[in-house]
Structures are given as structure tokens and as C-alpha cells.
Amino acid sequence: MLHWFNPLAWLAAFRFDECAELAADKMAIEDEPALAGDLAGALLLVAQDATRTRILAPAASGRTLSRRLTRLIEPTAQPGERMMLTKRIPLLLLLTALIGAGAVQVNLVAQDEPLEAIGGGAGEITVKAAQDFAAKVAGTDELHKQFKAALQTEAGALALRDRVGQMEAEAREEAYEDAIPELVNSIFVGEGDKLKLREDKQAFRSQYLSATEKVNQDLAAMRKTLNEVAGKMKLESDLDKIVHRFVTNESAPIILYVRELRPRLRPGMRVLEEILEGVFARRQDGKYAIRADARPAAEQRAKRFTEFQSILKRFRRDVRELGAEISQHDDFHKRVHAAFTDPLFTARLGAELIEDGGASRIRAERLIGNLEGALREGAEGLVVHPNEREEVGEFIEEFERGKAAAARLRAPLKQFAERIADDDELHKAWREMLQSDLALIQIGGQLEYATADAGDAIREFLSQIINEQPDGSLKVEPQEADEEELIEGISDIFRASRAARRRGRELEELLIKVDDTQLRDAMQSAAGKVVFGDYLNRHLASTIPNGLDQWIDDHFERTTAGFRIRGEAEEAIRDMLKDVDAIKEELENADF
Amino acid sequence: MLTSSLLALLLIGASPQDQIDTHLGAAQRHAGVQPAPLCDDETFLRRVTLDLAGRIPTRAELTAFRRQPNRTAKIDQLLAGDEFPRFWSQVWTSALVGYATERFEASREPLRIWLEEQLRANTPYDKIARELIAAEGESAFDGPVNFLVRHREQPAVKVSRIFLGVRLDCARCHDHPFDRWTREDFDRFTRFFDGVEYREVSGRNIRVLEAPREASEEDRPRFLSGAKPRTSRWRDELALFVTTCKPFARNYANRVWYQLLGRGVVEPPDDFSANEPSSPELMKHLTELARETKFDTRAMIRAICNSQAYQRQSGRGEESFNSHSLFASFTPKPLTIEQQIHSLRIAFDLSPTALQIQENIRNAVEESLDADFSETWAYRDNVQDEMSRLVRELPRLEGDFEDWYERILSRSPTMRERKLCEGRPQSQVIFALTHSNEFRFNH
């Protein structure tokens, strides 16, 4: 047992020292291998010569020294390093899916485009902002003077934040409470005892119907797989039974679909968000911005991209030329030939260059040289060298998968790029980069579900917790989570599904009077509610209350000279000033 | 021995650093401790450059300082330089959140960048602390919120330690007979954070916001001074309570002193309740200095670095406890990872980019520590990989061992060292120098 009681800093310093030594031993050996044996001697010489101060003598104590000596005798190779900017989607564990899902605001259903619905701004009232407001207050009587003076202090800004914050909290609660009826009212208008679609909502109607239809197809495919799985499940343990209940439940799997499967079937923003998480984060305003800590890496990446663009034309021609010579005598070589002559393949190679150090002309040529090295002359053109067949095969297969996924990515990537914040040049550079073939093929290769079928997707998902037995039956055997965690995860899904049902009923009741039966039926169906959830999230995001404006309107009237305290608000302002004084008093020389 | 009031009278008009030395001198005489002589110019240059710029001096700086060894001017130059905010932001970030932030869903670098901006703009420390405690915003973009995100399990414990030098941890479970803080104190202090909400806006971007709180008189939070919040914004009020009380100034002064001298006047620096200052007069003076300079960190550092206490020769490890605690000699400090990486690069003329330094540090520490502190082997491997990589990248050096000593140890070799180096290949000499403790300590 080592150093558990030591402060972390000391541990770090100690280990770091030790490693620095090991590292440079290695350098010395590489430099002059013959001298390896002599190095320890050199160290000891310096040790004896610690004339400056004793504490500065080099460390040459037992354990460390012996390891250094071992290393001097048996130098080992260091693995190359490689920087990954983008994050691979982790294996879809049921658990990780559920933990992340806790943040979903509206459990009615969904978020395809995840939007956070909570506004605010009280926190942004600094002393400076309070002073700016004070400067616009016009009155000259005692109360106005006191108010203006109070806003010059930290305590005054704090009291203002307090009032505004309370107002915002109420407004938020109301917005959430009224969200469903408000959204319904924005779509329909009452005529007699009927609800009719508003005139300007025709486009909405067809969008809604087609979105519902898509979700319906997915749900049907998913249900088919679930029934099949349920039929084969062996119900022995409690865990088996719990998972079986989940699989056969009418609405719980829909929650899973919304949170986990759908974003991958139709790679929307959310899946792009995950893949690009190393660089971008979605802000409260819905825009994607480059993380404060990712800037240096993002700048480098953008630079390399520009570099690649400048050699792209020639590089593409070179690759294609090589590809044209590839024999097409069998299926395998036909695929290789097709890949090499595909513009996306050049992009894929470019991504490799950029990931791995940069896309200079020389590096690009070296890469083509490597490709050539994997080929040799055959009767009808170039063929893949037998030794390289496996590796080339894998690369081509990965490329084909990426290409298939890329087809579905083009639209969402464009959408993502359009939502990149207009902050500066770097953001602009990334917007351009993300709409290139290079981004398309690179991100396409990282999509987890290449399949577009929801039935396959749920099967793949469940395979992580359910295993096939020798007799063909299915049994719950979580691979990477313990049973407790799995049960907790499933409970969470059930909870979300109950909450969704309750809010879903509220919607159904509101829709009873809708006279457009086709639309009504669609909206009341399970799939329709998934779609409604999307609209609801967007609606909530657009109703962010501004507490400061509201508070000012409640307490002040706007005159040409500036803001004046309303007569009926005087008492509230006096209360506020009392708080300011009380806080200031507490601050006088507090000691303990 | 002068009485402290008489001493105070004599000190009127004296510079802050002279006052430091007067107080310490009196305490040292009283304890019968003989202070070490002042260090030589080369040692001073190396020490102050490491402390204020986070690296060893370049050869050009060494040559210039040998020609014109003006210590006060050097301190001013370093404080005005570009590297000071960067290095001190690293120091403060480590104190505030440590390295293993990702595991707690906090982001270290945005916080560091923010602190660097504050230091560059010379934002007073009390204002910085206030913003950290009351922070709202998104963790991927707004640096200060990462402090709370990192400590969201027990914010009260960290806030009281780092800003007040008070350990409330022990009062968390039960009352201790000799500790002045009770469990009730702890509970009510903790309640200041009841209104904090953490929402995941998107992956690794957590929004911290403050929900207004209300409670009956007996359920309201209570600060250690006894103050209770008046409004619904409890955390904001706490930030004011903390940064205006006297213990805050004491703690701040002691921490800056600790960073520079390697040991606090109150030691350990996060436990004022249980430890007396080694020199109460010095502690009082530094506290007053903090308040008089309105928490201007550069002013505080300037005073300390100009003092004789900072400029003494380093100890030989044989000093008495009194000698240590009364700063009769300088305490050697191991270089931080940032200092090591940066210094190695300076010695070999590799001016690092921000990205390189960030990557070196991350490769060396962060990921392994984030994984699990128990995986210390993994940690070692990472540091080793990173150092190997750095060393592999090092170019061969021009010149002879005279040059290498200056590059790596910021001094000329002694006669004996010259003899030892004679005829040895470069790899051996450089190996020995980069591995000497003289290189790896600030002494």
C-alpha cells in the first residue's frame, strides 16, 4: 500500500520525478547503447557531488533505482500516440442511456432536437448592470435617491437579483404548467363547440402527419422484435421477469426509443452532438459553440483542414489514378476498385492524415505510397497483396459502412453547421468544415447503428443485457452492469413512462373537440405524442421569461426623463432597501 | 525584545517587505534562530522566475540578470509579464478543483482560462472569490461555475477550507470536544447551497443556476459569523459574507505566502481553527496588507518577493522546527508538473504552444487521475509515456557542458563538476542534470 495518507500533490510530485528519470534513462540508452551500464555510475558521481545543499542530492534510493537499472538493461519501445478529437459513441449500455436521460425535461415524450427549456437572467445582474439601471432612474425624492445609491453596492445588486429571480421562478413554473394547452391553442381555434385547425397551420398539419407516420413505422418494427424476444425469454429469476415486463410493456419501450434509438436511426442533432462533444457544446440558447478548453485543438484541426483543401485536387487525382489500375476480376477487387475511385474515399484518407499529424503534400504522398505497397501486379491490373488482404478488407468494409451512414448524415450535418454560433472566424471555419465530404465520411464511420430499422436497433440494444442460451431461449445476463443498476435503470424508464402517460391524458382531453379527425387520431396515438413532445420542447424553449423587464414594469413607470417608482410599488422598494441595509450591516468587520 | 505596540510605532512608513522582515527578525531573535544569508543572484533569478512565470529562466535572461542583478526590477518585470497570469491561473486552478475534474463532470480548462483573464486584468481576489461562490452559467463556457460543479457533493466543505481556512469536515458527522465548529454550524452553512441547481444542457455542459429559496427563521442558513441571509438568494449572500469577513483576508494572505515560501505562517494553510500562526505579528501584518491593497494579488506578491525572507538561501534539511516555521531559510519546493514540462522545454529551446502545454499536462495527469485514483500504476505509465515523448522530441544541444549547466540549472558548473564532466558524452551530462533534484526543485 502506497501513500494513501499523503496529500495528492506530494504523490504526484514523487511519481512525476520517478517517471522523468525513467524517461531520460531511455533517451540516454538510445543515444549510446554501449554506455547503458555506465550511466548508473554517472548518477552516483553526481550524487556524491551534492555540494550545493544536501536536499538537492539526486534520488537514488532503493525501489526507484532498481527499476531504473532494470530499464537501462531492458529498454522497451514506446507506443505511438494519436490524438482523437471526436469522441466515439460508447457502447450502448442501457445504463448510460438512462443516466443521461434524467435531464429530459418534458416526459410526455421526446426530444429529437434537444432543447433546454429553462430561461433566466437574474444571475446576470451584476453591480455594473444594476448601476446601469440606476442611471436611468429619474426621480429626485428621498426614496429614489436611496434606491439609486443602494444599486451602487454589491448588496443592492444582490437584492435586485433576489427580486428578479423570484419573478422568473414563478414565470417558469407557469410556462411549464400551461405549455400543453398553450401549444394546442396555437394550433387550433375554437368555433362553437369544435376546435378547428388555424388557417396558417396547413403546413404544420402535413408535417405532423408525416412525422407521425415515420415514428409509427419505427414503433411497429420495434414491437415486432420485442414480441419475438418476449416469446423466447426464459423467466427464471426476478430479473428475467422484470426485463420481460419491460419488453412486453406497451409504453415503456417508447421511452427507450425516444431517448436512445431514434436519434441514431435518424441521426439528428443529438447524435451529432455526442460525436462532436470533444469540440462543441450546445449552449442554453440552442447554438453550438466551441468549448473554452477545446479552442487550441479546434484551431489546429481547422488549420489542417485548410491545408488538406489546398492539396485536395491533386491528391484526389492521384488516388483515383491508382484506383483505376485496380483489377476488377472478382467481387472483392470490384469493391476495392469502387472505393478507390469514390471521391468520399479521398476524403476518408484525408481524415486519416488530419487525425494523424497533418495533411502536408509530403505526408499525402507517403500515404499513397503505403497504399501502393499493399498492391501488386496481377493479370488484369493491380491486385491486393495476399498479406494485406485482411487489413485492406477491413478498411474497405469500414469505408462502405461509413458511406452508407454518410448518406443519412448530410442533412443533419448541414443543420448542425447552421446552428453553430456566429462567434468568430474559428466558428466559421468549422461550419465550413462540417459540411465537407471529409466530415461526412469521418462522422459517418462513427455512427453506432448503421441499420435504419428500429427492430434491428432494439435487438442490438437488448443484446447487451440478454444472451441466447444453447437451447435457443433468451436469458438476462447483463455484461457490463450489475443487476442492481439494471433494475434501477429499468425503474427509471417505467417512472418516465408513467409520467408521460399522465401528461398524455391531458393532451387527449384537450384534443377531444378537434374536428379534423385524421389529425386528431394521429395526435392522440402513441407515435403522435412522440411528435407532440418535439413541438412542446421547442415551444418551451421559445418562452423564456425575462424577469428583469417584468420586475421593472411592475415597479416603475417609464417617463421621458427615465424610470419612476410607481406609487403602489413604493412599499416594495422600501422593503428592498431594508434588506440592503441589513445585509450591509452584517458585512461590517465580521470576524470569528 | 520590543513590545509589539512599540514595534508597530517604529514601522510606520516602512515598506511592506521591510515590515515583513522586521516582524520575522524579532520572532527569530526571540526564538534564538539564526537566519540564513541571502541567496546568490542566479539562485534568486531561478527561484523568482519559477514562482512567477512557472519556468526556469532562459539563458538570455540569465546573462542579462548577471549584468544587471536588480531583484526588485526583476520582480516587477515578471509580474507585468504575460506568463504570470498563465502560471498563477494554473496554481489557483489546482487549488480550487485539482486535476481530476472530468470525473466530476467539471471542466478544468475553462476555469483556468477564466482565472487567467482575471489575473491579467488584475481583478481583486475578493471579487474573484465572490464570483466563484455565486457563479451561474454553463460549464463548457463559463469558467467559474466549474468550481461548484466539481464540489457539488460538499460545496460547504471546500468553500470554508479554500476561502476561510476553516475545516468543517469533521463537524459533518458529529461534534468534537476540542473543535469550535459544531455539526449545527456545518448543517446551517451547508444550507446556503440549497438553491443551487445543476442541469445538463448537453454533454459535458452543465448549467448551474440558483433557484430562489425561502425558509423559516430556524431553517435558514447561518454563516460562521452568525449572519443569516435576508433575501431568497442565499448563495449570493454567502459570497458576500465570506469575502468581507476578516478570516477571508487572513486566509488569502496566508495562501499567497504559502505558495511563495513553501509553508504557511499558519500551517497547514486550510486549518486556522486548530493552528496558531508561527508569527502572529507577521500574520496580522499580511492580513492588513491584503485589505489595504484591496486584494491586489500582484501587490501582495511584490511585497513578499521583495522581503529577505523570500530571498534567503535554501535550507539543508538540518534546520530546527523553529527555523522552518520562522522562515530563517528558504524551503525547497518540488516543481509542479506544469513547471517541469515548461522548464524542460525552455532548457531545450522548444517554445511550447498553449496547445502543447495543455496536451502535455493532460497526457501526464488528467486522464489517469480521472479514471480512478486507485489506479496509480496507470498514472505512472501516463506520466512516463509523456515524459518519454517529450525527451524523444528534444533536439541535440549546441555548445559544451558550460552551456548545458546554464540552460538546465541556470548556473555555471563548479570546478569539481567541470572535472566530472570532462570527456563525458552529452547524453550522460544532460541525463544527470535533468535528473538532479537541483533541477526538479525550486530551491
Side-chain angles (χ1 to χ4, degrees):
Chain A
M1 282 302 292
L2 287 168
H3 314 294
W4 279 109
F5 44 87
N6 277 354
L8 184 59
W10 271 102
L11 181 66
F14 168 69
R15 295 216 171 273
F16 190 78
D17 283 357
E18 189 182 290
C19 297
E21 295 183 20
L22 292 171
D25 283 347
K26 198 169 162 301
M27 173 188 76
I29 300 164
E30 281 165 359
D31 241 17
E32 273 153 282
L35 284 169
D38 199 27
L39 274 177
L43 262 184
L44 293 174
L45 277 178
V46 185
Q48 285 156 13
D49 195 44
T51 54
R52 316 269 297 176
T53 62
R54 183 169 301 174
I55 200 158
L56 299 178
S61 59
R63 196 170 61 92
T64 318
L65 186 62
S66 74
R67 194 151 67 234
R68 290 176 65 183
L69 294 177
T70 322
R71 206 173 161 81
L72 284 168
I73 295 157
E74 295 178 311
T76 51
Q78 293 294 331
E81 42 71 57
R82 180 186 165 109
M83 190 185 77
M84 285 293 288
L85 246 191
T86 54
K87 189 194 113 186
R88 269 196 75 76
I89 305 175
L91 177 70
L92 263 185
L93 249 189
L94 181 57
L95 285 161
T96 58
L98 297 176
I99 289 160
V104 176
Q105 287 290 305
V106 181
N107 272 329
L108 178 65
V109 267
Q111 355 186 244
D112 186 26
E113 283 186 32
L115 292 166
E116 175 80 359
I118 306 303
E124 282 149 33
I125 300 172
T126 56
V127 175
K128 173 84 176 52
Q131 285 169 346
D132 288 349
F133 174 57
K136 293 180 196 149
V137 172
T140 50
D141 62 15
E142 202 48 37
L143 185 61
H144 278 87
K145 272 190 206 152
Q146 282 175 9
F147 179 75
K148 288 170 77 158
L151 287 196
Q152 306 295 323
T153 64
E154 283 281 356
L158 193 153
L160 183 59
R161 276 202 290 279
D162 168 56
R163 269 49 181 187
V164 171
Q166 293 197 38
M167 194 151 245
E168 280 171 0
E170 279 167 32
R172 267 200 298 271
E173 210 164 287
E174 274 170 34
Y176 186 79
E177 199 59 34
D178 303 339
I180 293 181
E182 263 183 27
L183 183 56
V184 169
N185 281 333
S186 73
I187 303 167
F188 301 102
V189 60
E191 266 188 41
D193 61 346
K194 291 282 171 211
L195 281 177
K196 286 198 180 302
L197 190 67
R198 289 179 184 271
E199 270 175 25
D200 56 347
K201 289 289 174 187
Q202 282 304 327
F204 161 86
R205 182 182 189 275
S206 58
Q207 277 166 18
Y208 201 108
L209 290 176
S210 86
T212 305
E213 181 48 35
K214 270 189 202 156
V215 174
N216 236 335
Q217 286 169 7
D218 285 347
L219 293 185
M222 192 170 80
R223 177 53 59 201
K224 196 165 158 255
T225 303
L226 287 173
N227 287 340
E228 193 189 309
V229 169
K232 285 194 201 162
M233 277 184 76
K234 217 184 226 176
L235 304 182
E236 287 167 348
S237 65
D238 276 2
L239 189 61
D240 289 332
K241 289 172 195 162
I242 291 171
V243 173
H244 186 260
R245 273 187 52 217
F246 168 74
V247 167
T248 52
N249 187 280
E250 195 185 340
S251 50
I254 300 180
I255 300 285
L256 187 66
Y257 165 77
V258 166
R259 288 177 177 180
E260 268 309 309
L261 304 181
R262 186 171 66 151
R264 291 185 166 75
L265 292 170
R266 296 190 231 298
M269 295 298 185
R270 187 149 143 203
V271 70
L272 283 178
E273 244 176 43
E274 280 182 34
I275 290 175
L276 293 168
E277 201 190 74
V279 181
F280 286 97
R282 178 165 34 80
R283 293 193 304 219
Q284 174 68 20
D285 64 3
K287 297 269 190 202
Y288 295 102
I290 294 173
R291 292 175 186 276
D293 53 354
R295 278 195 83 88
E299 271 161 14
Q300 189 189 59
R301 181 60 70 96
K303 206 173 126 234
R304 287 180 179 176
F305 176 72
T306 315
E307 193 180 43
F308 179 66
Q309 291 301 95
S310 72
I311 61 159
L312 176 62
K313 240 176 160 174
R314 191 172 136 189
F315 184 57
R316 180 171 289 167
R317 202 187 54 219
D318 291 349
V319 174
R320 202 185 293 145
E321 228 171 66
L322 184 63
E325 286 192 51
I326 293 175
S327 163
Q328 297 187 58
H329 66 280
D330 62 11
D331 278 354
F332 176 70
H333 283 87
K334 274 181 195 150
R335 282 169 58 208
V336 177
H337 178 269
F340 267 69
T341 47
D342 191 323
L344 276 180
F345 192 71
T346 323
R348 173 70 189 82
L349 295 176
E352 193 78 10
L353 285 173
I354 286 178
E355 284 279 352
D356 205 23
S360 66
R361 179 154 297 184
I362 287 184
R363 289 175 53 84
E365 275 167 19
R366 205 179 297 154
L367 179 65
I368 290 181
N370 286 346
L371 292 173
E372 250 183 309
L375 304 168
R376 69 175 183 188
E377 300 304 323
E380 292 164 49
L382 291 171
V383 294
V384 175
H385 199 288
N387 294 345
E388 308 287 346
R389 192 175 162 117
E390 197 177 331
E391 210 174 321
V392 172
E394 270 171 28
F395 191 72
I396 297 293
E397 205 168 292
E398 188 226 286
F399 168 71
E400 288 168 344
R401 265 204 315 273
K403 193 184 166 188
R408 287 177 289 130
L409 257 182
R410 209 175 279 273
L413 252 181
K414 183 160 182 287
Q415 221 181 332
F416 187 99
E418 279 163 1
R419 274 175 58 181
I420 289 177
D422 282 314
D423 285 11
D424 53 21
E425 287 304 314
L426 184 59
H427 283 80
K428 276 185 207 143
W430 271 81
R431 191 178 306 149
E432 190 197 328
M433 184 158 70
L434 283 181
Q435 295 185 76
S436 68
D437 279 357
L438 193 135
L440 202 62
I441 190 74
Q442 196 180 11
I443 294 172
Q446 292 181 49
L447 283 182
E448 277 290 309
Y449 291 118
T451 166
D453 180 78
D456 292 343
I458 187 98
R459 193 190 309 278
E460 202 172 327
F461 188 91
L462 288 175
S463 70
Q464 295 172 101
I465 52 166
I466 298 178
N467 276 339
E468 190 161 19
Q469 304 299 304
D471 64 358
S473 68
L474 300 175
K475 186 151 175 45
V476 178
E477 284 168 352
Q479 290 157 21
E480 292 188 42
D482 71 29
E483 297 191 359
E484 256 328 290
E485 287 174 308
L486 184 59
I487 293 175
E488 202 39 59
I490 292 179
S491 305
D492 187 64
I493 283 211
F494 270 113
R495 267 195 294 276
S497 122
R498 282 184 211 111
R501 260 210 316 273
R502 285 194 291 273
R503 297 212 81 181
R505 272 199 292 276
E506 184 186 350
L507 176 64
E508 280 173 30
E509 282 163 21
L510 285 168
L511 295 174
I512 287 174
K513 292 182 194 160
V514 172
D515 68 344
D516 181 336
T517 50
Q518 190 191 2
L519 183 59
R520 186 186 65 203
D521 290 349
M523 288 178 88
Q524 288 183 339
S525 71
K529 283 178 198 153
V530 171
V531 177
F532 193 83
D534 296 341
Y535 282 96
L536 197 58
N537 277 310
R538 256 169 266 168
H539 171 73
L540 274 172
S542 67
T543 52
I544 297 171
N546 184 327
L548 183 58
D549 282 353
Q550 261 184 46
W551 185 82
I552 292 175
D553 281 346
D554 280 5
H555 295 80
F556 289 81
E557 53 191 349
R558 291 163 201 259
T559 69
T560 45
F563 292 104
R564 299 182 66 91
I565 299 169
R566 289 178 192 277
E568 67 269 25
E570 281 184 9
E571 201 173 323
I573 298 293
R574 282 206 182 86
D575 266 355
M576 184 171 156
L577 293 176
K578 255 188 241 161
D579 281 351
V580 175
D581 287 342
I583 294 168
K584 276 194 206 153
E585 206 171 305
E586 290 285 13
L587 301 182
E588 298 293 327
N589 276 319
D591 199 359
F592 47 86
Chain B
M1 160 93 190
L2 296 164
T3 64
S4 55
S5 58
L6 184 54
L7 194 63
L9 204 64
L10 288 172
L11 285 172
I12 293 171
S15 70
Q17 59 264 28
D18 291 346
Q19 296 191 43
I20 290 173
D21 291 319
T22 311
H23 289 305
L24 271 181
Q28 285 161 357
R29 277 192 301 280
H30 183 67
V33 168
Q34 181 66 35
L38 297 189
C39 64
D40 59 44
D41 286 332
E42 289 165 345
T43 305
F44 171 79
L45 176 68
R46 186 177 186 274
R47 183 183 295 173
V48 75
T49 310
L50 274 166
D51 273 337
L52 303 189
R55 57 163 177 85
I56 56 173
T58 62
R59 284 188 74 204
E61 286 167 340
L62 183 63
T63 312
F65 195 70
R66 276 175 176 162
R67 234 185 354 251
Q68 220 171 27
N70 184 335
R71 298 190 180 189
T72 299
K74 188 72 208 176
I75 294 167
D76 287 342
Q77 184 205 341
L78 285 166
L79 283 173
D82 213 36
E83 291 168 298
F84 167 74
R86 186 179 65 194
F87 176 59
W88 274 68
S89 70
Q90 288 167 350
V91 170
W92 282 2
T93 305
S94 297
L96 287 165
V97 297
Y99 286 99
T101 51
E102 295 294 327
R103 189 149 44 107
F104 301 89
E105 295 180 291
S107 305
R108 182 186 149 93
E109 190 61 8
L111 173 62
R112 193 202 61 72
I113 293 167
W114 179 77
L115 282 169
E116 185 177 340
E117 286 162 6
Q118 304 311 307
L119 282 160
R120 185 153 283 137
N122 220 17
T123 307
Y125 183 77
D126 59 338
K127 185 157 187 289
I128 292 176
R130 211 146 49 224
E131 293 199 26
L132 286 167
I133 299 170
E136 289 185 64
E138 299 179 26
S139 64
F141 309 103
D142 306 312
V145 297
N146 287 291
F147 171 65
L148 272 190
V149 173
R150 164 62 183 84
H151 298 290
R152 65 172 126 167
E153 301 269 312
Q154 293 286 352
V157 168
K158 185 65 181 180
V159 165
S160 59
R161 269 189 184 229
I162 192 101
F163 295 124
L164 299 171
V166 168
R167 291 189 188 180
L168 283 180
D169 326 20
C170 306
R172 182 164 43 184
C173 313
H174 47 87
D175 295 343
H176 289 255
F178 304 113
D179 201 335
R180 69 177 279 206
W181 305 112
T182 64
R183 196 170 163 190
E184 161 93 0
D185 291 323
F186 173 78
D187 286 344
R188 299 194 63 169
F189 190 91
T190 299
R191 240 168 268 169
F192 276 106
F193 297 93
D194 280 2
V196 200
E197 286 180 18
Y198 302 90
R199 297 224 177 97
E200 191 178 353
V201 179
S202 56
R204 287 203 296 123
N205 185 24
I206 293 178
R207 180 157 182 239
V208 176
L209 42 96
E210 184 72 7
R213 303 291 298 185
E214 272 179 77
S216 62
E217 184 61 22
E218 61 272 20
D219 284 335
R220 286 172 93 73
R222 189 183 65 209
F223 187 51
L224 301 177
S225 66
K228 290 177 200 160
R230 285 281 296 199
T231 70
S232 66
R233 297 190 68 86
W234 293 354
R235 190 157 55 98
D236 281 9
E237 288 199 49
L238 174 68
L240 272 186
F241 292 154
V242 167
T243 54
T244 50
C245 72
K246 277 187 181 156
F248 175 79
R250 272 202 291 272
N251 173 69
Y252 159 73
N254 191 47
R255 275 184 184 270
V256 176
W257 180 272
Y258 166 85
Q259 180 61 33
L260 294 168
L261 275 297
R263 180 187 168 86
V265 183
V266 170
E267 180 75 15
D270 61 356
D271 197 0
F272 272 76
S273 312
N275 300 285
E276 291 298 320
S278 57
S279 162
E281 290 77 20
L282 175 61
M283 192 68 256
K284 189 158 168 273
H285 168 62
L286 292 172
T287 308
E288 277 162 12
L289 187 60
R291 297 190 119 189
E292 278 162 18
T293 58
K294 297 192 162 38
F295 298 98
D296 175 342
T297 301
R298 282 184 179 81
M300 195 78 195
I301 292 175
R302 187 175 291 118
I304 295 174
C305 287
N306 273 303
S307 73
Q308 294 188 353
Y310 178 76
Q311 299 186 10
R312 296 204 183 281
Q313 280 182 7
S314 52
R316 290 165 174 265
E318 301 158 341
E319 291 73 21
S320 65
F321 175 76
N322 274 342
S323 167
H324 259 305
S325 63
L326 293 174
F327 309 97
S329 59
F330 188 81
T331 307
K333 305 176 282 186
L335 301 193
T336 63
I337 286 165
E338 290 91 342
Q339 284 172 323
Q340 284 226 33
I341 286 173
H342 204 160
S343 295
L344 200 56
R345 284 182 171 277
I346 288 291
F348 289 83
D349 289 336
L350 299 165
S351 50
T353 65
L355 177 60
Q356 280 167 333
I357 291 192
Q358 193 184 324
E359 268 182 45
N360 285 153
I361 294 166
R362 178 177 302 152
N363 291 344
V365 219
E366 279 185 334
E367 281 166 23
S368 46
L369 280 186
D370 283 349
D372 184 350
F373 184 44
S374 65
E375 291 176 25
T376 44
W377 288 107
Y379 168 61
R380 202 212 60 210
D381 286 347
N382 273 19
V383 178
Q384 191 167 327
D385 279 355
E386 188 55 22
M387 288 306 292
S388 301
R389 199 171 74 82
L390 280 175
V391 171
R392 262 205 315 280
E393 284 173 2
L394 296 178
R396 293 199 69 87
L397 288 175
E398 299 290 313
D400 58 14
F401 55 79
E402 291 277 343
D403 301 310
W404 307 333
Y405 265 80
E406 288 191 358
R407 278 170 178 279
I408 298 166
L409 299 183
S410 314
R411 65 172 173 91
S412 301
T414 62
M415 285 309 289
R416 187 166 148 67
E417 284 166 336
R418 282 198 179 94
K419 242 183 242 149
L420 277 167
C421 289
E422 214 61 66
R424 285 189 181 273
Q426 182 183 115
S427 57
Q428 276 195 19
V429 176
I430 289 179
F431 169 84
L433 296 185
T434 50
H435 292 78
S436 63
N437 279 347
E438 186 175 343
F439 176 69
R440 291 174 297 148
F441 274 79
N442 188 0
H443 51 83

